[in-house]
Amino acid sequence: MIKHILNFKRPSGTSRGVLTSKETFFLVIEQEGKKGIGECNLFRGLSADDVPDYEAKLQWVEQHLHLGEKALLEELKTFPSIQFGVEQAFRSVAAPHWYELFPSNFTKGKDAIPINGLIWMGSPDFMKAQIKEKLAQGFRCIKMKIGAIDFEEEYRILKALRNEFSASDIEIRVDANGAFQATEALRYLERLATLQLHSIEQPIRAGQWEAMAELCEQTPLPIALDEELIGVFTREEKQRLLREIQPQYIILKPSLIGGYRGSEEWITLAETLGIGWWVTSALESNIGLNAIAQWTYTLHSSMPQGLGTGMLYTNNIPFPLYVENGHLGFNPCERVTFPFS
């Protein structure tokens, strides 16, 4: 187990506060002289497995790798980020190249994944500067975090963007991270809907199923569940949540919902109910981002995904991922060295 502190290039604001650094953990396994690696991306204050014995559980996994992937995943049901790290590590050590978990046209450099440009919370001038930067970089889908500064100021920023670019020119998504009170959320959504936004993520705090269901039924703006999915472990619980709330979309963050298997279960249940979805990273290093991106490509979704977090850190793990014209790509010609060797 290797602990790594990722340092942000600049403080990044959310409705939960400002982030300047973030810890993550790497699980390295070795079989027949080959090494594999997986990232266990603990997100403090958000992950369901943010518990005092987290590192002890990681050490237990290292001591019991001989049990095999299936048995470990069964043991780790309430540790979704470690589940995902285990999945990555076993797939990595079995791959011809440790970094090529899902060989495809993406890993061959022949295709790329459309992604949204992420706008962090901050002063109005800072947010406007980010928007100009993303548009100059060729993004055609912008995701803006809202809920930390005055709503009217955020609305003015969004309205100015929409006045300059039509909905056919720029897709705008917003993420409230549960910032609105349930009693006032519909009023905000009605205002935001006038701007022809694509959707809003988690308008109210997670865990209020009845209020969220009512909001999803009445909303003029499609709602995507994000934090609502965290800590829901069984297939029965997932199915009940989706049936009761009936959201328009769900957001899949593998590190927070049990890796590939957990995410695929959510997708299957959502599609059965006619609910849309897309995939988002959760501030992983390039190791985890690569693992998510390669898997996401195999899902063949044409929607912009939330995978643009690789450029956030000053000390990220070097990796041949790049962002160009609003797409995340992989450069197969660039040499990839196994980290921490």
Side-chain angles (χ1 to χ4, degrees):
M1 176 188 70
I2 299 162
K3 185 176 181 177
H4 185 65
I5 304 297
L6 294 159
N7 297 313
F8 283 82
K9 291 179 180 177
R10 57 190 180 192
S12 298
T14 75
S15 61
R16 296 186 189 88
V18 177
L19 303 173
T20 57
S21 64
K22 185 192 166 300
E23 65 185 318
T24 194
F25 299 84
F26 297 101
L27 178 66
V28 177
I29 64 177
E30 189 167 353
Q31 291 180 355
E32 300 177 357
K34 292 178 61 181
K35 286 185 177 180
I37 188 169
E39 180 170 0
C40 302
N41 176 45
L42 176 64
F43 200 132
R44 294 289 183 189
L46 184 59
S47 297
D49 47 12
D50 180 12
V51 293
D53 63 339
Y54 184 86
E55 293 187 46
K57 197 67 175 182
L58 267 176
Q59 292 170 348
W60 180 90
V61 170
E62 283 189 312
Q63 296 163 4
H64 293 82
L65 289 171
H66 61 276
L67 295 177
E69 181 180 3
K70 185 177 180 180
L72 288 173
L73 293 178
E74 186 66 23
E75 172 66 27
L76 296 166
K77 283 181 179 178
T78 58
F79 288 84
S81 66
I82 303 180
Q83 279 187 318
F84 190 33
V86 168
E87 284 183 317
Q88 293 172 54
F90 275 94
R91 185 170 282 271
S92 170
V93 79
H97 305 289
W98 66 268
Y99 53 84
E100 195 172 11
L101 280 64
F102 294 86
S104 67
N105 281 339
F106 176 76
T107 59
K108 292 175 184 175
K110 295 181 179 180
D111 203 1
I113 302 170
I115 61 174
N116 62 242
L118 182 59
I119 308 302
W120 291 93
M121 292 176 176
S123 69
D125 287 343
F126 174 59
M127 295 173 80
K128 290 174 186 175
Q130 290 180 82
I131 290 172
K132 289 181 180 178
E133 180 183 25
K134 296 303 180 187
L135 296 178
Q137 292 171 350
F139 284 93
R140 289 296 171 263
C141 177
I142 298 293
K143 172 182 168 180
M144 182 170 142
K145 288 186 173 290
I146 62 173
I149 63 174
D150 178 62
F151 175 80
E152 293 302 327
E153 186 63 55
E154 292 171 335
Y155 182 83
R156 282 192 288 271
I157 293 171
L158 288 165
K159 186 175 182 179
L161 179 60
R162 181 52 80 222
N163 286 342
E164 187 172 353
F165 299 96
S166 70
S168 59
D169 292 327
I170 297 291
E171 179 179 291
I172 304 175
R173 302 170 178 174
V174 293
D175 182 2
N177 287 130
F180 300 150
Q181 295 297 317
T183 53
E184 61 185 16
L186 185 59
R187 177 169 58 89
Y188 288 131
L189 299 192
E190 288 171 344
R191 292 280 307 283
L192 292 169
T194 65
L195 302 177
Q196 294 180 283
L197 306 185
H198 173 272
S199 57
I200 181 169
E201 294 181 33
Q202 202 69 43
I204 64 174
R205 181 174 45 81
Q208 305 174 86
W209 286 19
E210 186 175 342
M212 185 68 87
E214 184 176 344
L215 199 57
C216 287
E217 183 179 15
Q218 299 178 1
T219 183
L221 176 63
I223 291 173
L225 301 187
D226 181 356
E227 289 92 339
E228 204 75 63
L229 277 54
I230 298 171
V232 182
F233 299 121
T234 70
R235 183 183 182 88
E236 293 71 27
E237 287 179 297
K238 294 173 184 178
Q239 190 172 57
R240 186 167 70 87
L241 182 150
L242 294 178
R243 283 180 172 170
E244 290 191 17
I245 297 180
Q246 290 289 327
Q248 285 75 37
Y249 295 100
I250 59 172
I251 310 297
L252 306 165
K253 292 179 176 175
S255 291
L256 299 176
I257 59 173
Y260 301 130
R261 289 168 176 79
S263 299
E264 288 167 1
E265 189 168 68
W266 277 111
I267 290 173
T268 299
L269 293 170
E271 289 183 341
T272 300
L273 297 170
I275 297 168
W277 55 268
W278 67 87
V279 179
T280 299
S281 53
L283 302 182
E284 292 85 357
S285 77
N286 279 334
I287 297 295
L289 179 60
N290 172 67
I292 296 170
Q294 290 190 25
W295 166 73
T296 300
Y297 183 80
T298 69
L299 302 177
H300 306 295
S301 172
S302 60
M303 290 183 67
Q305 309 294 310
L307 304 177
T309 56
M311 302 291 106
L312 293 175
Y313 303 115
T314 61
N315 60 336
N316 209 338
I317 310 301
F319 224 81
L321 295 169
Y322 65 90
V323 175
E324 185 175 89
N325 293 325
H327 287 71
L328 178 68
F330 185 97
N331 183 359
C333 299
E334 190 173 325
R335 186 168 179 267
V336 190
T337 304
F338 192 91
F340 315 117
S341 55

Short mmCIF file of all heavy atoms in Angstrom, two decimals, residues 1 4 10 41 52 55 98 131 152 155 202 204-205 218 235 241 247 262-263 279-280 294 334:
data_model
loop_
_atom_site.label_atom_id
_atom_site.label_comp_id
_atom_site.label_asym_id
_atom_site.label_seq_id
_atom_site.Cartn_x
_atom_site.Cartn_y
_atom_site.Cartn_z
N MET A 1 0.84 -1.20 0.00
CA MET A 1 0.00 0.00 0.00
C MET A 1 0.88 1.25 0.00
O MET A 1 1.80 1.37 0.82
CB MET A 1 -0.90 0.03 1.23
CG MET A 1 -1.74 1.28 1.35
SD MET A 1 -2.62 1.39 2.92
CE MET A 1 -1.26 1.68 4.05
N HIS A 4 -0.34 8.53 -1.19
CA HIS A 4 0.17 9.64 -2.00
C HIS A 4 -0.73 10.85 -1.79
O HIS A 4 -1.95 10.74 -1.86
CB HIS A 4 0.18 9.23 -3.48
CG HIS A 4 0.80 10.24 -4.39
ND1 HIS A 4 2.14 10.58 -4.33
CD2 HIS A 4 0.27 10.99 -5.40
CE1 HIS A 4 2.41 11.48 -5.26
NE2 HIS A 4 1.30 11.75 -5.92
N ARG A 10 -4.26 24.91 -8.06
CA ARG A 10 -4.87 26.08 -7.45
C ARG A 10 -6.04 25.60 -6.60
O ARG A 10 -6.66 24.58 -6.92
CB ARG A 10 -5.34 27.10 -8.49
CG ARG A 10 -6.32 26.56 -9.50
CD ARG A 10 -6.54 27.55 -10.63
NE ARG A 10 -7.47 27.04 -11.63
CZ ARG A 10 -7.67 27.61 -12.82
NH1 ARG A 10 -6.98 28.69 -13.15
NH2 ARG A 10 -8.54 27.11 -13.67
N ASN A 41 -9.17 5.27 -4.24
CA ASN A 41 -9.35 6.72 -4.16
C ASN A 41 -10.32 7.09 -3.04
O ASN A 41 -11.53 7.22 -3.26
CB ASN A 41 -9.86 7.24 -5.51
CG ASN A 41 -10.16 8.72 -5.48
OD1 ASN A 41 -9.38 9.51 -4.96
ND2 ASN A 41 -11.31 9.10 -6.01
N PRO A 52 -12.42 5.13 10.21
CA PRO A 52 -11.12 5.10 10.90
C PRO A 52 -10.23 3.92 10.52
O PRO A 52 -9.00 4.04 10.54
CB PRO A 52 -11.51 5.05 12.38
CG PRO A 52 -12.85 5.70 12.43
CD PRO A 52 -13.54 5.29 11.17
N GLU A 55 -7.22 2.41 6.37
CA GLU A 55 -5.86 1.96 6.05
C GLU A 55 -5.60 0.55 6.58
O GLU A 55 -4.89 -0.24 5.95
CB GLU A 55 -4.83 2.96 6.58
CG GLU A 55 -4.88 4.30 5.86
CD GLU A 55 -3.77 5.25 6.25
OE1 GLU A 55 -2.60 4.79 6.31
OE2 GLU A 55 -4.04 6.43 6.50
N TRP A 98 0.76 -3.25 -18.25
CA TRP A 98 0.10 -2.99 -16.98
C TRP A 98 -0.89 -1.83 -17.03
O TRP A 98 -1.85 -1.79 -16.27
CB TRP A 98 1.14 -2.71 -15.88
CG TRP A 98 1.92 -1.44 -16.09
CD1 TRP A 98 3.10 -1.29 -16.74
CD2 TRP A 98 1.55 -0.13 -15.63
NE1 TRP A 98 3.50 0.02 -16.74
CE2 TRP A 98 2.57 0.76 -16.06
CE3 TRP A 98 0.47 0.38 -14.91
CZ2 TRP A 98 2.53 2.12 -15.79
CZ3 TRP A 98 0.42 1.74 -14.65
CH2 TRP A 98 1.45 2.59 -15.07
N ILE A 131 -14.43 29.80 -17.69
CA ILE A 131 -15.32 29.55 -18.83
C ILE A 131 -14.64 29.94 -20.12
O ILE A 131 -14.64 29.18 -21.11
CB ILE A 131 -16.65 30.31 -18.65
CG1 ILE A 131 -17.45 29.68 -17.51
CG2 ILE A 131 -17.46 30.28 -19.94
CD1 ILE A 131 -18.68 30.47 -17.11
N GLU A 152 -27.99 34.58 -7.43
CA GLU A 152 -28.25 35.56 -8.49
C GLU A 152 -27.00 35.85 -9.29
O GLU A 152 -27.06 36.05 -10.51
CB GLU A 152 -28.82 36.85 -7.88
CG GLU A 152 -30.20 36.70 -7.28
CD GLU A 152 -31.24 36.21 -8.29
OE1 GLU A 152 -31.14 36.56 -9.48
OE2 GLU A 152 -32.16 35.46 -7.88
N TYR A 155 -26.47 32.87 -11.50
CA TYR A 155 -27.46 32.92 -12.58
C TYR A 155 -27.02 33.91 -13.65
O TYR A 155 -27.15 33.64 -14.85
CB TYR A 155 -28.82 33.32 -12.01
CG TYR A 155 -29.93 33.35 -13.04
CD1 TYR A 155 -30.61 32.19 -13.40
CD2 TYR A 155 -30.28 34.55 -13.66
CE1 TYR A 155 -31.61 32.22 -14.36
CE2 TYR A 155 -31.29 34.59 -14.62
CZ TYR A 155 -31.95 33.43 -14.97
OH TYR A 155 -32.93 33.46 -15.92
N GLN A 202 -27.61 16.64 -8.35
CA GLN A 202 -27.88 16.63 -6.91
C GLN A 202 -28.29 18.01 -6.37
O GLN A 202 -27.56 18.64 -5.60
CB GLN A 202 -26.64 16.14 -6.16
CG GLN A 202 -26.94 15.59 -4.78
CD GLN A 202 -27.72 14.28 -4.80
OE1 GLN A 202 -27.42 13.41 -5.60
NE2 GLN A 202 -28.69 14.15 -3.93
N ILE A 204 -30.54 18.83 -4.14
CA ILE A 204 -30.72 18.84 -2.68
C ILE A 204 -29.86 17.75 -2.05
O ILE A 204 -29.39 16.84 -2.74
CB ILE A 204 -32.19 18.67 -2.27
CG1 ILE A 204 -32.72 17.29 -2.70
CG2 ILE A 204 -33.04 19.78 -2.86
CD1 ILE A 204 -34.14 16.99 -2.21
N ARG A 205 -29.67 17.86 -0.76
CA ARG A 205 -28.83 16.91 -0.03
C ARG A 205 -29.33 15.48 -0.18
O ARG A 205 -30.53 15.22 -0.19
CB ARG A 205 -28.79 17.33 1.45
CG ARG A 205 -27.95 16.46 2.37
CD ARG A 205 -27.89 17.08 3.76
NE ARG A 205 -29.19 17.54 4.23
CZ ARG A 205 -30.12 16.74 4.76
NH1 ARG A 205 -29.89 15.43 4.87
NH2 ARG A 205 -31.26 17.24 5.17
N GLN A 218 -41.63 17.00 -10.67
CA GLN A 218 -42.12 18.33 -10.99
C GLN A 218 -41.11 19.18 -11.79
O GLN A 218 -41.49 20.17 -12.39
CB GLN A 218 -42.47 19.08 -9.71
CG GLN A 218 -43.57 18.44 -8.89
CD GLN A 218 -43.85 19.19 -7.60
OE1 GLN A 218 -43.23 20.21 -7.31
NE2 GLN A 218 -44.79 18.69 -6.81
N ARG A 235 -28.07 -4.71 -4.72
CA ARG A 235 -28.88 -4.54 -5.93
C ARG A 235 -30.31 -4.14 -5.57
O ARG A 235 -30.91 -3.29 -6.24
CB ARG A 235 -28.88 -5.85 -6.73
CG ARG A 235 -29.64 -5.77 -8.05
CD ARG A 235 -29.68 -7.11 -8.77
NE ARG A 235 -30.37 -7.01 -10.04
CZ ARG A 235 -29.82 -6.68 -11.19
NH1 ARG A 235 -28.52 -6.44 -11.23
NH2 ARG A 235 -30.53 -6.61 -12.30
N LEU A 241 -34.15 2.59 -4.82
CA LEU A 241 -33.85 4.01 -4.93
C LEU A 241 -34.29 4.56 -6.28
O LEU A 241 -34.97 5.60 -6.36
CB LEU A 241 -32.35 4.25 -4.72
CG LEU A 241 -31.86 5.70 -4.75
CD1 LEU A 241 -30.65 5.87 -3.85
CD2 LEU A 241 -31.49 6.14 -6.18
N PRO A 247 -35.20 9.47 -11.20
CA PRO A 247 -34.47 10.63 -11.73
C PRO A 247 -34.36 10.56 -13.25
O PRO A 247 -34.62 9.51 -13.85
CB PRO A 247 -33.09 10.46 -11.09
CG PRO A 247 -32.93 8.97 -10.99
CD PRO A 247 -34.31 8.46 -10.62
N GLY A 262 -19.92 -2.47 -9.58
CA GLY A 262 -20.95 -1.65 -8.97
C GLY A 262 -21.57 -0.68 -9.97
O GLY A 262 -22.79 -0.50 -10.01
N SER A 263 -20.74 -0.07 -10.80
CA SER A 263 -21.23 0.88 -11.79
C SER A 263 -22.08 0.19 -12.85
O SER A 263 -23.13 0.71 -13.26
CB SER A 263 -20.04 1.58 -12.47
OG SER A 263 -19.27 2.30 -11.53
N VAL A 279 -20.54 8.91 -16.90
CA VAL A 279 -19.47 8.55 -15.97
C VAL A 279 -18.66 9.79 -15.61
O VAL A 279 -18.40 10.65 -16.46
CB VAL A 279 -18.54 7.48 -16.58
CG1 VAL A 279 -17.42 7.11 -15.61
CG2 VAL A 279 -19.34 6.24 -16.98
N THR A 280 -18.26 9.87 -14.35
CA THR A 280 -17.46 10.99 -13.87
C THR A 280 -16.33 10.47 -12.98
O THR A 280 -16.54 9.56 -12.19
CB THR A 280 -18.34 11.97 -13.06
OG1 THR A 280 -19.37 12.49 -13.90
CG2 THR A 280 -17.53 13.14 -12.53
N GLN A 294 -10.59 4.14 -19.77
CA GLN A 294 -10.54 2.98 -20.65
C GLN A 294 -11.83 2.16 -20.57
O GLN A 294 -12.35 1.70 -21.59
CB GLN A 294 -9.33 2.10 -20.31
CG GLN A 294 -8.01 2.75 -20.67
CD GLN A 294 -6.85 1.78 -20.54
OE1 GLN A 294 -7.01 0.56 -20.64
NE2 GLN A 294 -5.65 2.31 -20.32
N GLU A 334 3.76 7.39 -26.29
CA GLU A 334 4.50 7.92 -25.14
C GLU A 334 4.88 6.77 -24.19
O GLU A 334 4.05 5.91 -23.88
CB GLU A 334 3.63 8.95 -24.41
CG GLU A 334 4.38 9.73 -23.36
CD GLU A 334 3.52 10.85 -22.78
OE1 GLU A 334 2.72 11.43 -23.53
OE2 GLU A 334 3.64 11.10 -21.56
#
